[in-house]
Amino acid sequence: MPARDLALLSEAARAAGPVALRYWKNAPRAWEKDGNAGPVTEADLAVNEALEQRLRSARPDYGWLSEESADSGERQGAERVFIVDPIDGTRAFMAGEDTFAVSLAVACAGRIVAAAVYLPALDRLYTAGESAPALRDGQAIAASQRSETQGATLLATRHTLGDSHWPGGVPDVKRSFRASLAFRLCLVAEGRHDGMLMLRQAWEWDIAAGSLIATRAGAAVSDRFGQPLTFNGSPPQTPGVIAAAPGVHADLLRRLMS
């Protein structure tokens, strides 16, 4: 089943691409979500509808957790659950940037077993399975093997690298940023950056697919306290996320906890 799920996610992610691109750079209608939860556009909803129709018709017994769907909680009674972000990086999408992503995963018993992250504007697909390697467009990828944080390239917000989070001082790193958390995790997976971290609460749909891709590429992945990530929770959030070369990951945790 994991192999079949991975094929399904890959096909669905690619099929969602043209739906998103119809709206990209075309001034889609946008509004703020309730509770200061950020922006949403008509493209997010259109992609969500297309994905839900394709995925749930193929696996009607799977639960459903999506950023753009009301969460009834029924998913927690399902053995397997789709975890979906129709457009991860909505602000980048609205700005006409090309780094937004479609992020799809299947969780089983709290762990991710199949994952696909597709960047429609770049026509780039990252995939991984519980027993399948991390790939970019069908080619194997591998995370950095850097052993220390000093001088590492990290994907993080300026706030994350603020003084208040680092008791022993902010590490000397080269900081970059991408709006999509899924894409950040994939960039770590292919070794283009040594690590990424987010210290605030993370929604599962932002990190589910990318976390497996990074793990299968050889990165160490955990929450901000070093604990394994678990999914299909209530609420569907994790206490931050850190993904990095194993040595960098260990050093970041040490620096955060010291």
Side-chain angles (χ1 to χ4, degrees), residues 9-204:
L9 294 184
S10 300
E11 293 162 4
R14 284 196 178 277
V19 180
L21 292 176
R22 284 204 303 267
Y23 297 90
W24 185 53
K25 293 186 175 181
N26 199 28
R29 290 187 298 112
W31 56 96
E32 287 292 320
K33 296 180 183 179
D34 294 339
N36 197 31
V40 63
T41 73
E42 58 183 325
D44 295 81
L45 302 186
V47 173
N48 189 61
E49 181 178 0
L51 286 169
E52 186 168 10
Q53 181 176 0
R54 178 181 285 261
L55 294 174
R56 301 196 82 177
S57 63
R59 305 283 191 273
D61 56 329
Y62 283 24
W64 180 260
L65 174 63
S66 168
E67 180 175 11
E68 309 305 344
S69 299
D71 182 15
S72 68
E74 292 180 5
R75 60 183 168 81
Q76 293 191 288
E79 180 181 1
R80 290 175 180 262
V81 180
F82 290 116
I83 303 180
V84 172
D85 194 339
I87 296 181
D88 184 39
T90 297
R91 294 185 191 279
F93 178 87
M94 293 168 62
E97 298 172 12
D98 59 11
T99 55
F100 64 92
V102 179
S103 178
L104 309 179
V106 171
C108 178
R111 69 187 191 279
I112 304 302
V113 296
V117 174
Y118 182 55
L119 283 76
L122 299 176
D123 190 23
R124 185 184 303 174
L125 178 67
Y126 299 90
T127 59
E130 188 178 41
S131 301
L135 306 176
R136 171 184 161 178
D137 297 329
Q139 301 298 311
I141 54 178
S144 163
Q145 292 302 302
R146 188 180 184 89
S147 60
E148 60 181 18
T149 301
Q150 197 79 358
T153 57
L154 291 187
L155 290 154
T157 64
R158 288 187 177 87
H159 180 265
T160 296
L161 292 177
D163 293 339
S164 62
H165 297 301
W166 304 91
V170 179
D172 181 14
V173 298
K174 300 171 185 176
R175 188 190 71 84
S176 297
F177 181 74
R178 300 291 186 280
S180 165
L181 272 167
F183 187 35
R184 289 181 230 171
L185 286 157
C186 290
L187 288 171
V188 173
E190 63 177 320
R192 288 176 60 188
H193 294 268
D194 298 311
M196 64 79 65
L197 68 161
M198 187 178 78
L199 302 182
R200 60 178 175 80
Q201 291 288 106
W203 291 104
E204 290 186 13

Side-chain angles (χ1 to χ4, degrees), residues 208-231:
S211 67
L212 179 63
I213 294 167
T215 297
R216 295 296 294 155
V221 182
S222 72
D223 69 20
R224 64 165 295 174
F225 302 111
Q227 297 302 306
L229 300 177
T230 59
F231 295 89

